């Protein structure tokens, strides 16, 4: 069965802290690993990772894929209250190219 | 570009009634749309994959007779929750994959529909 597991499930930090969110997946029919940020409505796309070891960066956010360990991390530096959200990773693949979402990490950044 | 809309954004219905949710790709055509549900503070769970002009593919454990999906055109898919019960109360989100997405996994999400069954 396809599974995507994220850790921690929830996290509370203070503004300015750096956080690392983890995502692990099963290898069956793997194509890509995607990260999304979800606030009150639908998820917004952050990164898509296909190649191992290549960091993708966007402002204070960065992410990297480790195919050997079947995992990915999302780093957020100098966190701000606006970073408070659920962060979802999803594995893309299979015959229908569907996304299998992980459990999500609820991040709360306190002022 | 790449905007997906859902209607309604929220709906309250009585137990036993049916509710239809629309998902539209506004500025692109999509052969494939996906329907997810999300319970509070939980992740998105894929319910079904909707392909234009053919029957939807449902995930294991999702009742196809209860959650009717119709992908009538390249810009519209509908999800009908039949004989709704309070346990069907959830946040329903659709996403659409552009025709030109090809081998990529590009999907654009709608804003979601919050369904409350009383």
């Amino acid at each position: 069965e396809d599974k995507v597991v994220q850790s921690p499930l929830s996290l509370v930090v203070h503004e300015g802290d750096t956080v690392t969110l983890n995502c692990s997946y099963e290898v069956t029919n793997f194509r890509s690993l995607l990260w999304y940020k979800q606030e009150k409505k639908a998820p917004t796309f952050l990164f898509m990772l296909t190649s191992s070891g290549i960091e993708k960066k966007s402002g204070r956010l960065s992410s990297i894929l480790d195919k050997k360990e079947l995992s990915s991390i999302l780093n957020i530096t100098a966190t701000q209250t606006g970073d408070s959200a659920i962060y979802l990773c999803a594995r893309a693949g299979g015959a229908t190219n569907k996304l299998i979402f992980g459990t999500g990490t609820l991040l709360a950044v306190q002022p | 570009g790449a905007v997906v809309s859902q209607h309604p954004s929220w709906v309250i219905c009585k137990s036993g009634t049916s509710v239809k949710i629309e998902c539209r790709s506004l500025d692109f055509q999509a052969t494939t749309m996906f329907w997810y549900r999300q319970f509070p503070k939980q992740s998105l769970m894929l319910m079904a994959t909707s392909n234009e002009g053919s029957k939807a593919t449902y995930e294991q454990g999702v009742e196809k007779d209860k959650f009717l999906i119709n992908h009538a055109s390249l810009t519209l898919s509908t999800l009908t929750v039949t004989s709704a019960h309070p346990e069907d109360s959830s946040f329903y989100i659709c996403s659409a994959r552009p025709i030109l997405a090809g081998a990529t996994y590009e999907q654009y999400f709608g804003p979601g529909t919050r369904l409350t069954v009383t």
Side-chain angles (χ1 to χ4, degrees), chain B residues 22-111:
Chain B
E22 291 185 350
C23 177
R24 291 181 186 272
S25 55
L26 298 185
D27 50 3
F28 65 96
Q29 293 183 322
T31 49
T32 305
M33 291 185 175
F34 302 88
W35 285 96
Y36 300 84
R37 67 187 295 182
Q38 185 177 34
F39 292 107
K41 296 188 179 179
Q42 292 189 26
S43 190
L44 277 73
M45 184 193 80
L46 180 65
M47 297 175 67
T49 302
S50 167
N51 291 297
E52 187 265 339
S54 64
K55 290 184 179 179
T57 302
Y58 289 82
E59 295 298 303
Q60 193 173 6
V62 178
E63 298 175 61
K64 59 183 178 183
D65 294 331
K66 180 168 184 63
F67 298 99
L68 302 178
I69 291 172
N70 183 15
H71 196 146
S73 74
L74 289 173
T75 58
L76 173 65
S77 176
T78 60
L79 168 68
T80 301
V81 183
T82 63
S83 188
H85 287 103
E87 57 265 32
D88 298 324
S89 299
S90 188
F91 192 50
Y92 292 86
I93 305 176
C94 72
S95 70
R97 179 186 296 139
I99 286 179
L100 297 178
T104 71
Y105 306 94
E106 193 177 11
Q107 289 183 28
Y108 298 97
F109 285 86

Side-chain angles (χ1 to χ4, degrees), chain A residues 1-5 23-35 47-54 56 63-73 89-102, chain B residues 103-105:
Chain A
E1 182 183 331
D2 297 332
K3 274 188 181 175
V4 180
V5 178
C23 176
S24 63
Y25 60 92
E26 293 185 351
V27 74
T28 310
N29 293 321
F30 173 83
R31 301 284 179 90
S32 300
L33 193 290
L34 295 90
W35 283 96
F47 299 110
M48 184 171 80
L49 305 163
T50 306
S51 300
S52 197
I54 298 175
K56 292 213 171 176
S63 184
I64 196 163
L65 178 68
D66 185 339
K67 284 187 175 180
K68 190 176 176 183
E69 296 295 327
L70 306 181
S71 66
S72 174
I73 60 170
C89 72
R91 197 215 72 170
T96 58
N97 296 336
K98 62 187 181 185
L99 295 181
I100 303 297
F101 279 87
Chain B
T104 71
Y105 306 94

Side-chain angles (χ1 to χ4, degrees), chain B residues 4-25:
Chain B
V4 176
S5 70
Q6 279 185 242
H7 178 80
S9 55
W10 61 270
V11 58
I12 301 172
C13 71
K14 291 188 176 179
S15 194
T17 61
S18 295
V19 174
K20 180 186 281 189
I21 302 170
E22 291 185 350
C23 177
R24 291 181 186 272
S25 55

